[in-house]
């Protein structure tokens, strides 16, 4: 496995090229071009502000900020596994004709979404600052990069599992979209944990995305440090998923060309 990781590292230029192609190519031919990476999240945030400030009222102060803080990392996660699940099969011609570590396709897909996620959060920071909630920059600098990296690792591990199994079972890609539609309601994005009935809280806490989203909320909405035990829990889950994802990918990769 260590040799495999070194080989993937040797193809880092290919990963960077695929990420660049995805980011530039997504809005190719449009007048605004790359600026749509900023315009899309801004429009989404403005809709949240309109709906949750004027139409739907919550007891939470600046509820739209609470929603934005949790929805941004969720969008990164759901888009990454949604697109990552089918990324190997979609590049079947490349897989059959050219040798390279096939994980490159998954890594570039997730990394592209991660870069877009960082761009989205720049817009979110501006909105949070405009809302008047302010920031605790010491807490942000200490914890936010770690949470982002841990979410990236967890997402990449899951995407590796889905991408490798999707080559054999094409339903995986379509099932992923259905599962994420249900999964979001098991994640405390649209509601705080104190509204969850005690008899159901254990289900929410089993969700690996729960400590991740709550950490974002603690840092950016409540302006408090995330629970250290939760961070340790996220770190263990993320690393286990990444290791499992790579081992499963290596095991299933042997017959990719045949299945395609």
């Amino acid at each position: 496995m260590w040799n495999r990781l070194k080989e993937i590292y040797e193809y880092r230029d290919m990963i960077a090229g695929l990420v660049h192609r995805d980011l530039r190519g997504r809005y190719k031919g449009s007048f605004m071009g790359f600026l749509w990476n900023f315009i899309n999240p801004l429009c989404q945030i403005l809709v949240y502000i309109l709906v949750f400030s004027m139409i739907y009222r919550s007891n939470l102060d600046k509820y739209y900020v609470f929603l934005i803080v949790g929805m941004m990392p969720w969008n990164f996660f759901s888009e990454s596994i949604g697109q990552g699940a089918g990324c190997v099969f979609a590049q079947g011609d490349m897989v059959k004709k050219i040798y390279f570590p096939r994980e490159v396709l998954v890594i570039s897909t997730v990394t592209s979404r991660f870069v877009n996620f960082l761009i989205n959060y720049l817009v979110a920071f501006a909105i949070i600052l405009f809302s008047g909630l302010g920031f605790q920059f010491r807490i942000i600098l200490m914890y936010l990069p770690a949470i982002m990296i841990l979410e990236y690792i967890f997402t990449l591990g899951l995407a590796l599992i889905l991408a490798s199994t999707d080559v054999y079972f094409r339903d995986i890609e379509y099932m992923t979209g259905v599962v994420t539609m249900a999964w979001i309601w098991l994640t405390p994005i649209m509601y705080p944990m104190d509204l969850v009935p005690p008899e159901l809280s254990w289900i929410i806490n089993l969700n690996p995305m729960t400590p991740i989203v709550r950490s974002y909320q603690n840092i950016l909405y409540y302006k408090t440090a995330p629970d250290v035990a939760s961070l340790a829990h996220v770190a263990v889950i993320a690393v286990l998923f990444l290791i499992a994802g790579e081992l499963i990918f290596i095991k299933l990769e042997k017959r990719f060309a045949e299945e395609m």
Side-chain angles (χ1 to χ4, degrees):
M1 185 172 175
W2 177 248
N3 290 334
R4 182 67 169 217
L5 294 177
K6 289 198 296 184
E7 186 180 19
I8 293 171
Y9 179 74
E10 291 172 358
Y11 281 80
R12 61 190 180 278
D13 290 338
M14 183 178 181
I15 295 173
L18 290 172
V19 170
H20 183 265
R21 185 187 70 177
D22 181 70
L23 291 172
R24 293 294 300 271
R26 187 174 304 138
Y27 304 109
K28 186 178 180 180
S30 67
F31 178 74
M32 301 298 292
F34 188 77
L35 288 176
W36 279 111
N37 287 291
F38 293 92
I39 296 170
N40 275 338
L42 178 60
C43 290
Q44 184 182 30
I45 289 171
L46 291 176
V47 170
Y48 290 157
I49 294 173
L50 175 65
V51 172
F52 295 104
S53 296
M54 301 180 181
I55 301 174
Y56 173 79
R57 299 299 181 90
S58 171
N59 292 329
L60 284 176
D61 183 38
K62 304 290 193 307
Y63 175 70
Y64 63 88
V65 175
F66 177 86
L67 189 63
I68 291 166
V69 166
M71 189 61 75
M72 291 295 180
W74 174 263
N75 286 345
F76 158 63
F77 171 72
S78 62
E79 290 176 10
S80 293
I81 62 172
Q83 296 177 19
C87 68
V88 174
F89 189 88
Q91 299 294 332
D93 290 340
M94 184 188 298
V95 170
K96 288 185 284 188
K97 294 178 181 178
I98 306 171
Y99 175 77
F100 60 94
R102 312 309 186 200
E103 295 96 327
V104 163
L105 298 173
V106 186
I107 294 170
S108 62
T109 298
V110 175
T111 302
S112 172
R113 307 305 335 130
F114 186 70
V115 172
N116 195 64
F117 165 58
L118 296 179
I119 293 172
N120 290 351
Y121 246 113
L122 291 177
V123 179
F125 283 151
I127 298 298
I128 294 171
L129 189 62
F130 180 77
S131 74
L133 282 179
F135 297 108
Q136 289 288 342
F137 287 102
R138 181 171 172 271
I139 293 174
I140 289 175
L141 293 174
M142 286 179 63
Y143 295 102
L144 191 60
I147 294 297
M148 289 179 167
I149 292 170
L150 291 176
E151 184 183 7
Y152 175 87
I153 293 172
F154 168 65
T155 304
L156 178 59
L158 183 55
L160 285 168
I161 296 171
L162 295 173
S164 56
T165 53
D166 182 69
V167 174
Y168 295 83
F169 309 103
R170 292 293 297 130
D171 290 338
I172 294 293
E173 181 180 353
Y174 308 110
M175 289 172 58
T176 299
V178 175
V179 170
T180 53
M181 280 194 297
W183 196 339
I184 190 173
W185 296 104
L186 295 176
T187 309
I189 296 171
M190 303 179 192
Y191 54 86
M193 277 298 294
D194 56 12
L195 293 183
V196 179
E199 60 271 18
L200 296 178
S201 61
W202 67 274
I203 299 176
I204 307 298
N205 288 323
L206 282 177
N207 175 6
M209 283 300 293
T210 293
I212 292 175
V213 168
R214 294 193 69 188
S215 294
Y216 281 105
Q217 292 167 347
N218 284 338
I219 295 168
L220 295 172
Y221 181 78
Y222 295 110
K223 295 181 287 185
T224 61
D227 181 58
V228 175
S230 294
L231 285 179
H233 179 63
V234 171
V236 171
I237 290 175
V239 171
L240 288 177
F241 263 86
L242 184 60
I243 293 172
E246 177 61 12
L247 292 175
I248 292 170
F249 197 97
I250 291 172
K251 178 72 174 178
L252 298 180
E253 182 197 24
K254 298 173 183 177
R255 292 182 54 226
F256 276 2
E258 297 174 27
E259 293 296 327
M260 293 178 179

